[in-house]
Amino acid sequence: MRPAMRVVSGIQPTGNLHLGNYLGAIRNWVRMQDDMEEENRARAAGGNDADRNQCLFFLADLHAISMPHDPAELKRATLEMAAALVACGIDPQRSVLFNQAQVPAHPELQWLLNGTARMGWLNRMTQFKDKSGKNREGASAALFTYPVLQAADVLLYQATHVPVGEDQKQHLEFARDVAQKFNNDFASEDAPVFTLPDPISPPKAARIMNLRDGTKKMSKSDPSDMSRIELSDTSDDVMKKIKKAKTDPEPLPSEAKGLEDRPEALNLVTIYATLTESSVEDVLKDFGGEGFGKFKPALGEVLVETLRPISERFTDLLSDREALDAILARGASQAREIGRPTLEATYAALGLIR
Ligand code: TYM
């Protein structure tokens, strides 16, 4: 049997969970959690229970302070995002679910890794360029060193696999570079301190774009609410947003090639395909030749049906603050235990007396 997998991933609690996060990341997290659990059962049945697969999912609240933010809003968003993850199917009994701020080993390890991360590597990160825009000098130092914290997030737990969307792949490459250099510089070949994590991206189709501009990804930072579908949207909101989504006047083509220069149309078809677990080609078999007047209501309905049970659970969970606090406290305590040996090994490898 292959070695156990340690799956680790995070999401920033900045605003509500949107369809891009859900289809691009969270749904995949839930699948991995469920698959790992099934395999764990098989392992236990085979008498090989010692080495279990494990999933850790966290709210990257420490990353969220790299951009200007409102503290009350961050607190609210962190609780909401925790509720949203559980509503989507992350089960705190099976996965370790926590927020970074309750596990000081994350920023501690970041500092230790700052000695290994190179300025040249950080300078190449496209997210810093995107988020700082023309105001590089005014960007926070945290925004620049953000990838080092992200490296610490996964290296702390010896992650073997990190599910992320395409946009986070560069940060994962960075984490591998840091791990590799640290192991080379401070550990012997047969006893590396860090595992090199592999990014796992969901199928390409799961890149969900902005409803007002099909060339930009769907994101919580877009000022327009109409650009994204949020988990907390009512059915009416969802229908309205889909109806108003930008499109072109042409009917849908019958083959995927016909969507090449039509980013908005491609995005809507992609969302439909992802929700119904089919392919763009299959959707076009059904809707090729039809106009958006027919396709949009069909898409809206599939969306409403998918999101309804999630948004009901979300509302229930949010109304019990104590239960949410308890979930995060328990997850953080488990995370602290799991991360401790690696943190200690890092201090020791660097010659720091504890
Ligand atoms: P964040 O919070 O921006 O996004 C969380 C996850 O959702 C994916 N995603 C998308 N996928 C498809 N289409 C979209 N429109 C879309 N928008 C977001 C992201 O790729 C990501 O997988 N820095 C990270 C959080 C983080 C992290 C980590 C992730 C911090 N530490 C360690 C993995 C491992 C971020 O800001 O993701």
Side-chain angles (χ1 to χ4, degrees):
M1 199 173 251
R2 60 160 177 72
M5 281 169 75
R6 179 72 62 76
V7 174
V8 180
S9 199
I11 181 167
Q12 286 198 63
T14 44
N16 285 329
L17 194 74
H18 59 73
L19 195 66
N21 301 136
Y22 178 60
L23 295 180
I26 313 306
R27 204 170 63 153
N28 207 36
W29 292 7
V30 174
R31 286 208 182 123
M32 295 196 77
Q33 164 193 272
D34 295 349
D35 291 351
M36 304 276 102
E37 182 67 14
E38 202 165 296
E39 208 199 271
N40 279 342
R41 257 184 255 122
R43 278 172 189 257
N48 178 17
D49 190 26
D51 206 12
R52 293 171 64 81
N53 298 305
Q54 196 162 32
C55 294
L56 293 96
F57 299 117
F58 62 89
L59 305 157
D61 48 3
L62 293 178
H63 278 103
I65 64 165
S66 61
M67 293 293 273
H69 81 285
D70 169 4
E73 181 59 28
L74 177 59
K75 203 180 273 182
R76 192 185 59 80
T78 303
L79 291 167
E80 278 197 14
M81 194 62 92
L85 294 184
V86 177
C88 288
I90 298 298
D91 175 358
Q93 299 301 325
R94 292 189 283 157
S95 295
V96 179
L97 175 62
F98 63 100
N99 61 310
Q100 275 171 328
Q102 293 200 54
V103 187
H106 287 242
E108 236 177 304
L109 184 61
Q110 179 192 18
W111 181 257
L112 301 180
L113 297 177
N114 272 338
T116 296
R118 304 288 95 185
M119 289 294 287
W121 302 350
L122 284 169
N123 272 328
R124 283 199 287 276
M125 295 292 121
T126 55
Q127 180 182 276
F128 177 76
K129 292 179 197 156
D130 290 347
K131 289 200 174 172
S132 60
K134 292 201 177 71
N135 188 21
R136 262 182 82 104
E137 295 296 308
S140 72
L143 189 63
F144 188 69
T145 59
Y146 178 120
V148 191
L149 179 59
Q150 187 154 340
D153 294 338
V154 295
L155 300 182
L156 179 63
Y157 303 110
Q158 307 287 345
T160 57
H161 295 84
V162 182
V164 281
E166 285 291 322
D167 60 319
Q168 294 298 320
K169 271 197 160 167
Q170 194 187 33
H171 287 158
L172 255 292
E173 285 300 319
F174 175 91
R176 289 175 64 91
D177 289 345
V178 170
Q180 179 93 62
K181 180 166 168 57
F182 189 101
N183 287 342
N184 284 346
D185 292 355
F186 302 111
S188 63
E189 217 170 285
D190 49 344
V193 174
F194 297 117
T195 304
L196 267 54
D198 280 321
I200 335 181
S201 285
K204 235 192 168 134
R207 188 170 162 83
I208 307 301
M209 310 308 278
N210 186 308
L211 298 179
R212 311 296 299 169
D213 175 354
T215 62
K216 287 202 281 188
K217 70 170 186 174
M218 186 178 286
S219 143
K220 36 203 161 194
S221 53
D222 192 286
S224 167
D225 264 3
M226 296 301 284
S227 72
R228 61 186 162 261
I229 307 276
E230 290 181 1
L231 203 67
S232 51
D233 284 345
T234 63
S235 305
D236 286 351
D237 292 337
V238 172
M239 287 313 249
K240 193 168 95 196
K241 287 181 181 183
I242 292 298
K243 220 167 121 197
K244 295 233 160 120
K246 186 175 168 200
T247 41
D248 51 45
E250 302 296 314
L252 284 170
S254 44
E255 278 175 31
K257 215 170 151 15
L259 289 173
E260 265 170 16
D261 296 318
R262 301 173 63 187
E264 284 83 17
L266 172 64
N267 188 37
L268 295 186
V269 174
T270 301
I271 294 175
Y272 191 100
T274 312
L275 287 167
T276 53
E277 317 230 356
S278 55
S279 64
V280 165
E281 283 76 13
D282 285 339
V283 179
L284 294 178
K285 258 184 222 141
D286 291 343
F287 288 96
E290 301 285 358
F292 287 99
K294 174 137 189 236
F295 181 66
K296 280 181 165 180
L299 171 60
E301 240 160 70
V302 177
L303 257 173
V304 166
E305 286 313 308
T306 309
L307 296 183
R308 184 178 294 130
I310 299 178
S311 83
E312 282 170 6
R313 288 190 66 199
F314 173 68
T315 313
D316 280 355
L317 286 158
L318 256 193
S319 65
D320 192 348
R321 169 74 196 265
E322 255 176 54
L324 272 183
D325 284 343
I327 288 174
L328 292 179
R330 177 167 175 271
S333 140
Q334 292 173 312
R336 287 193 294 265
E337 280 307 307
I338 301 170
R340 184 168 298 136
T342 301
L343 186 67
E344 290 310 325
T346 313
Y347 274 109
L350 291 169
L352 295 161
I353 299 168
R354 295 277 276 169

